[in-house]
Amino acid sequence: MDKHFVNGAFVADELVRDAVHQALATIEPLQKQRQQMTGTFEGWFWVEDVAPHLFASACELACPSGAAISQPVERSVMISLLLKGENGQFVPEGAEPVSSHVERAHIVALGEPRLCSRVLAPGQGCRRVELGLRAPFLDVNADALSAMDLEVLDYLMRPGFRSYHLPRTQTITHMAC
């Protein structure tokens, strides 16, 4: 994935198409047809691969008219921190919708590829940072991770969907700002 930074008014199509191009490159053509985007955003969004199979993103967005983004997402673990506002609902196919809470780390784990949606109501907007890893990260970095780290990541990558909200901590919030 290349570096991406978008600033100003933009539509979801432009943002997502650029930001997830590489992630979708490995998804079967039938799944690509399931990608749908509606609505507009104002603000900025950045996403970048920071190491093989490890990506980071940040945004400060407003969604004046509401928006929905649906796309296939590969097996992965994402940790996001909502710093301000509302980030809508994350809706993984076959699971209940989940929402993030301000200043609480939110872990989302997809144990297999699924169609996922983000739905924002009119007027919602947020400031958010995120770090995510794709499944091959475990194989590529197994020697650099502790046994406990590997055990936790292996658990999160098991088939199914998992969502955890960690307690709010001043340290995490301070580090993200």
Side-chain angles (χ1 to χ4, degrees):
M1 181 180 304
D2 296 325
K3 298 177 186 179
H4 295 279
F5 182 81
V6 179
N7 190 14
F10 54 91
V11 295
D13 292 19
E14 297 163 355
L15 170 68
V16 174
R17 189 171 291 119
D18 288 342
V20 300
H21 174 71
Q22 184 171 344
L24 294 176
T26 61
I27 295 174
E28 297 175 19
L30 181 59
Q31 287 180 309
K32 286 184 181 181
Q33 293 174 3
R34 298 169 72 188
Q35 183 178 0
Q36 297 178 2
M37 296 159 259
T38 60
T40 60
F41 295 95
E42 296 172 354
W44 59 268
F45 179 89
W46 164 83
V47 63
E48 180 178 346
D49 273 349
V50 294
H53 312 291
L54 179 68
F55 63 91
S57 69
C59 67
E60 187 162 6
L61 301 171
C63 186
S65 62
I69 301 168
S70 296
Q71 67 189 41
V73 177
E74 63 189 290
R75 189 172 166 234
S76 56
V77 175
M78 296 161 279
I79 304 167
S80 63
L81 184 62
L82 181 62
L83 297 168
K84 176 181 161 187
E86 295 177 287
N87 197 25
Q89 289 192 314
F90 181 77
V91 186
E93 185 175 41
E96 293 295 315
V98 294
S99 299
S100 297
H101 305 290
V102 173
E103 296 185 353
R104 288 184 62 193
H106 184 197
I107 299 171
V108 170
L110 299 168
E112 65 274 328
R114 312 181 166 224
L115 182 67
C116 295
S117 302
R118 170 77 58 192
V119 180
L120 292 100
Q124 285 188 324
C126 68
R127 182 182 318 147
R128 184 188 80 221
V129 295
E130 182 175 70
L131 183 64
L133 59 96
R134 297 176 194 91
F137 180 87
L138 299 178
D139 297 328
V140 172
N141 296 287
D143 58 338
L145 298 169
S146 73
M148 182 181 287
D149 292 338
L150 285 171
E151 186 178 327
V152 168
L153 290 171
D154 182 58
Y155 169 76
L156 291 171
M157 291 282 190
R158 288 183 185 159
F161 169 71
R162 292 165 186 76
S163 172
Y164 304 97
H165 290 93
L166 302 180
R168 182 185 181 278
T169 68
Q170 216 36 31
T171 303
I172 290 176
T173 302
H174 180 72
M175 287 172 39
C177 291

